[in-house]
Amino acid sequence: MSLKRKDLLGIKDLEVEEINLILSTAESFKEVGGREIKKVPTLRGRTVVNLFFEPSTRTRASFELAAKRLSADVINISAGSSSAVKGETLMDTAKNLEAMGADLIVVRHGSSGAPALLARALRCSVINAGDGAHEHPTQALLDLSTIQERKGRLAGLTVVIVGDVLHSRVARSNLWGLTKLGARVRLVGPPTMVPRDLGAFGAEVYTSLDEALDGADVVMTLRLQLERQGRAFFPTLREYGRLWGLTRERLQRAKPDVLVMHPGPVNRGVEIAPEVADGLSSVILAQVTNGLAVRMAVLYLLSGGKSE
Amino acid sequence: MSLKRKDLLGIKDLEVEEINLILSTAESFKEVGGREIKKVPTLRGRTVVNLFFEPSTRTRASFELAAKRLSADVINISAGSSSAVKGETLMDTAKNLEAMGADLIVVRHGSSGAPALLARALRCSVINAGDGAHEHPTQALLDLSTIQERKGRLAGLTVVIVGDVLHSRVARSNLWGLTKLGARVRLVGPPTMVPRDLGAFGAEVYTSLDEALDGADVVMTLRLQLERQGRAFFPTLREYGRLWGLTRERLQRAKPDVLVMHPGPVNRGVEIAPEVADGLSSVILAQVTNGLAVRMAVLYLLSGGKSE
Amino acid sequence: MSLKRKDLLGIKDLEVEEINLILSTAESFKEVGGREIKKVPTLRGRTVVNLFFEPSTRTRASFELAAKRLSADVINISAGSSSAVKGETLMDTAKNLEAMGADLIVVRHGSSGAPALLARALRCSVINAGDGAHEHPTQALLDLSTIQERKGRLAGLTVVIVGDVLHSRVARSNLWGLTKLGARVRLVGPPTMVPRDLGAFGAEVYTSLDEALDGADVVMTLRLQLERQGRAFFPTLREYGRLWGLTRERLQRAKPDVLVMHPGPVNRGVEIAPEVADGLSSVILAQVTNGLAVRMAVLYLLSGGKSE
């Protein structure tokens, strides 16, 4: 079976079978990551470009390593987030990279929809590595992969997403993915960050973290984007941590085998207590490991690769 | 036939046979860029260093990909354009890179002559990727390659170069290359940017863009270096665009099969109208594609490669 | 014989046999650097991460090339020296890189002990590429390798280290390495930078450069860290150069076959006169070349490689 699309722009557009294809392909790449020689010749001679208009260490490194393990050639291009990049220039930059022979362009951009704009104009594949508050599909796929790996399934699970849901592309992509695969999603956080009408997307909106955690199978904590959000949405960090931080006490309300997730980088003591981030329920580092396998799967499938 | 020189510093120094050797070698590398596996083992185990003292996304990416397609190891070193780099330090940096085993150093520097200085001091090859207002030889070679590809020849063609000829290393390298290969070159732009005495270099100097375009086979528009030139040389951007911007109407005066070129990045609506940049006459993206093949050819030939 | 340790954190911890193993392994890698195809498949499929919290061109480039010559996959991560990096975040960053499958993490950090902290927490190998004023073990190993290459031995040689010994991780690592291998070390420099009690580390402390140079086999000049030390430790650069700069006249007091070394980058005319840096006694560029071989040896041995 192969993926019948040129680009990966978001989870919202994906069919359930497509999500499952990516997840099952990722399973077979997890094995590669465990080998001493973590390398397969699959994409030898293909060119992957990491085009990052927002700073990122982890996602860029993860895509770079994923491409290298598939033996692709990779180049990194980072545009200062401060230098105002006009849509026109973005398009010219991308068309130039395609003219140089880029087969896959991995793009992160501050504006929602920028990857879709490129995808329409280019013949080569475009992978959304995060666009504004819109989507971050490979993050959601690695989260789904991690839950499935640990729980054996997604259908019927109760997943809590806590934090700034409104501005989070991670939350948005996960919301689509989890509901498509049959999980029940509970959203919770400060009312300024989790407006009631988010319920329209197939999730239940909670106003109390304790209540949201009752009987949860999975808790996804979101990163508080201290650098972006200013202080408009909550009074103080300490106040935020007190009300919405995931502590060991609070976690008692969830199921005993609950999984605790975070997309990183973690603000320890703010959205999650250190002992929870490093605790037995935490699968934060497994998420990182699975991110590589998921990105290898996406690069492979968009290049025309097949899976049984 | 092989290139009997260690360095590529400028087009002015090249014999006609050397230019033709590079162009014909580039032809054979264009085929590699069209393959699914865009890679040949030619420079395996050789080390290419991109040493950029001025910021550059495209030229650096093009050299990096060219080297990777030849299977060389590449490292990128960028020195902030703001950090005053003394000649002494430049030399020490380059000698260190040579001591680490660099086989080819690709250097971009704000000072004319910096690559020549390094070339004299080093045993390894030096490629000029743009030095001050002096030369940018691989840009001219890719322009020549693109014209030859589309027109089948260079001799006898009328090529217009429009814009800030005085401060443009692209114009300078093209002027040498075009006249060596038998094209007629017309220079045109604001009198502050195209002084009369440029005629001494074998080109005709025009003061009217319309007249310069009469019967032209090729129009090369130059990038207005907004970041460098300040506003001393022309009153306003709008005024510049009105007088010297290449519009569809103006282009009517050229031959019907005229080629429109631009070294990029394009300031749309300033030196060239968007509909011309994206129009049927435009070969701007072909220039980018050919840039890779030309740079592969240069890396290959300077490494001792031969062509039939 | 193989290296029975996971990490290389400093020279102080190494047994003499371990130092000799690294030096003899480096010898065999020097041959690779002289080949046309400077590449061996030894670490194919292994992942090396350069994690630099302080800016560095040379050391980063040297490790990057060393890893590439061993056919490893390499990624570079540089964290701005200005962005305050908390210990916690450093640890999270490193654990993330390990979760992505890093086999070896090469770390440079402004705080003494940061690499040791990581080494204790990670299963993968950690190489110290310079931590605060603590150690820079691969620099010392390449210095030892260069002396041994030129002199055939280390035992019994008289080595002068001149400059800011107090704040120099290069001096500290060399002091441990030289004394372990039986060289006599003389430390000299401004009294604020070479306190008397450094004698406790097995070296002789001098207050006169001329006296320290008497009969020396090797002179190691240290870089004056102009960017770090402010002006607290000496009145003016000129004054420093006059008193502590290595000139041709001063060098007359050393043995005729004295070796002059410098870890680079050189402040010409400050800690060393240009004619000495480029003179016949100088082995500064040989140090750079040997740095690659030493780093290949360290990467190889920490990956479980064996030497006869």
Side-chain angles (χ1 to χ4, degrees), chain A residues 43 47-48 54 64 78 91-92 94-95 101 122 135 162 170 177 181 201 238 242 244 246 293 303:
Chain A
L43 295 191
T47 301
V48 175
E54 287 187 331
E64 185 175 354
S78 56
M91 188 62 80
D92 275 346
K95 285 200 167 182
L122 301 178
E135 285 238 31
V162 53
V170 173
L181 295 188
F201 293 93
R238 194 165 165 179
R242 199 178 59 76
W244 308 105
L246 191 63
S303 303

Side-chain angles (χ1 to χ4, degrees), chain B residues 44-47 73-77 88 92-93 95-97 99-103, chain C residues 36-39 57-58 60-62 64-65 68-69 266 268 274 285 288-289 292:
Chain B
R44 210 180 104 74
R46 307 289 182 103
T47 301
D73 290 326
V74 196
I75 61 167
N76 293 313
I77 295 179
E88 209 176 49
D92 275 347
T93 302
K95 285 199 169 183
N96 267 271
L97 293 169
M100 287 181 201
D103 297 293
Chain C
E36 194 171 87
I37 298 186
K38 292 180 286 289
K39 198 140 183 162
T57 297
R58 291 159 195 240
R60 191 267 295 167
S62 182
E64 185 175 356
L65 281 173
K68 286 182 170 172
R69 288 198 185 151
V266 173
R268 282 157 183 271
L285 292 174
V288 175
T289 301
L292 241 120

Side-chain angles (χ1 to χ4, degrees), chain C residues 116-132:
Chain C
L117 195 76
L118 295 186
R120 273 195 300 277
L122 302 177
R123 286 178 313 276
C124 72
S125 290
V126 173
I127 298 173
N128 180 2
D131 62 331

Side-chain angles (χ1 to χ4, degrees), chain C residues 10-150:
Chain C
I11 303 294
K12 189 181 178 189
D13 302 333
L14 294 183
E15 304 292 330
V16 171
E17 302 75 52
E18 293 180 299
I19 298 176
N20 283 327
L21 173 63
I22 297 170
L23 295 180
S24 67
T25 308
E27 279 310 304
S28 57
F29 282 122
K30 284 181 191 177
E31 183 266 323
V32 174
R35 294 186 201 165
E36 194 171 87
I37 298 186
K38 292 180 286 289
K39 198 140 183 162
V40 290
T42 321
L43 295 191
R44 211 181 102 75
R46 306 289 183 100
T47 300
V48 175
V49 177
N50 280 327
L51 179 59
F52 276 62
F53 290 90
E54 288 186 331
S56 158
T57 297
R58 291 159 195 240
T59 305
R60 191 267 295 167
S62 182
F63 271 110
E64 185 175 356
L65 281 173
K68 286 182 170 172
R69 288 198 185 151
L70 293 165
S71 300
D73 290 326
V74 195
I75 62 167
N76 293 312
I77 295 180
S78 55
S81 57
S82 61
S83 77
V85 178
K86 292 171 294 180
E88 209 177 48
T89 303
L90 164 69
M91 188 62 82
D92 274 347
T93 301
K95 284 201 169 181
N96 266 271
L97 293 169
E98 179 172 66
M100 288 182 201
D103 297 293
L104 297 123
I105 298 183
V106 177
V107 65
R108 167 166 291 193
H109 200 281
S111 301
S112 300
L117 195 76
L118 295 186
R120 273 195 300 277
L122 302 177
R123 286 178 313 276
C124 72
S125 290
V126 173
I127 298 173
N128 180 2
D131 62 331
H134 177 229
E135 284 237 31
H136 188 356
T138 57
Q139 177 68 42
L141 288 164
L142 72 88
D143 291 336
L144 298 176
S145 173
T146 304
I147 299 172
Q148 196 162 60
E149 178 186 86
R150 300 299 168 110

